[in-house]
Amino acid sequence: MKDAISVVIDKYDAQGQYLDSAAVEKLKAYFATGELRIRAAATISANAQTIIKEATAKALLYSSLTRTGGNMYYARRFAACIRDMEYFLRYATFAMVAGETSLLDEYVLGGLRETYVSLGVPIDATIKGITALREIVSSAVGPQAGSEMAKYFDYLSKGLQQQQ
């Protein structure tokens, strides 16, 4: 797992170079948003269950997925959906704190397509759930932190769309 700092350092180390002004500016930008990201992570952590509940209700609860014959009809399937929403929220929060999307590739998107295909999980509904998480989180953490957090939810959504 990498963070914004190790990505910059690894790049320059691999080239055998010192940090240049572009690298320093990337690091400054990361550090300048540090307090914002930490406050947002604390807010998300303190309200995670409410965020999950609201996002699920907004995106999935009253859709055709929860009706008889829908993909989330059985309680076990619904519980698995809630679990996945928790994963998306938690890992998007980790990525936001790290300032880096690579952990989303490593821990969430890698292998997700195969798993979802084998279980018959509809990708469009999953993306709707992630979009709802994005909206609920933005409301909870405020516009500036919400904009930062949106990057990671959008990355998840795009990653899932590419897997279709």
Side-chain angles (χ1 to χ4, degrees):
M1 177 173 75
K2 297 203 178 232
D3 59 27
I5 299 166
S6 61
V7 167
V8 170
I9 291 171
D10 286 353
K11 176 184 172 188
Y12 285 83
D13 181 45
Q15 297 170 357
Q17 297 177 348
Y18 290 97
L19 300 176
D20 62 16
S21 60
V24 170
E25 288 305 314
K26 284 182 185 179
L27 293 173
K28 280 183 182 179
Y30 174 72
F31 288 121
T33 60
E35 186 177 336
L36 174 77
R37 287 182 281 106
I38 296 302
R39 278 196 324 262
T43 300
I44 292 165
S45 295
N47 298 290
Q49 294 309 311
T50 301
I51 291 168
I52 301 286
K53 182 179 176 181
E54 289 179 17
T56 301
K58 183 175 187 166
L60 306 171
L61 193 55
Y62 301 106
S63 71
S64 62
L65 294 171
T66 57
R67 293 187 192 119
T68 303
N71 199 283
M72 291 183 351
Y73 176 63
Y74 296 107
R76 192 172 83 204
R77 287 183 178 174
F78 187 74
C81 176
I82 299 297
R83 178 205 61 216
D84 288 356
M85 294 280 279
E86 288 180 288
Y87 288 158
F88 296 138
L89 178 61
R90 185 164 26 106
Y91 281 105
T93 304
F94 292 164
M96 186 250 327
V97 169
E100 175 58 35
T101 59
S102 64
L103 73 102
L104 296 175
D105 291 319
E106 186 177 346
Y107 293 106
V108 180
L109 294 172
L112 188 62
R113 179 184 186 280
E114 294 81 11
T115 302
Y116 276 12
V117 167
S118 71
L119 297 173
V121 175
I123 299 295
D124 289 344
T126 304
I127 292 170
K128 284 181 186 175
I130 292 169
T131 301
L133 283 171
R134 181 184 190 265
E135 293 167 4
I136 302 297
V137 165
S138 182
S139 176
V141 300
Q144 190 177 6
S147 177
E148 181 66 26
M149 197 60 197
K151 297 174 192 175
Y152 304 98
F153 287 125
D154 291 347
Y155 189 85
L156 286 170
S157 293
K158 287 176 188 171
L160 285 168
Q161 287 171 341
Q162 292 172 355
Q163 293 182 7
Q164 289 189 38

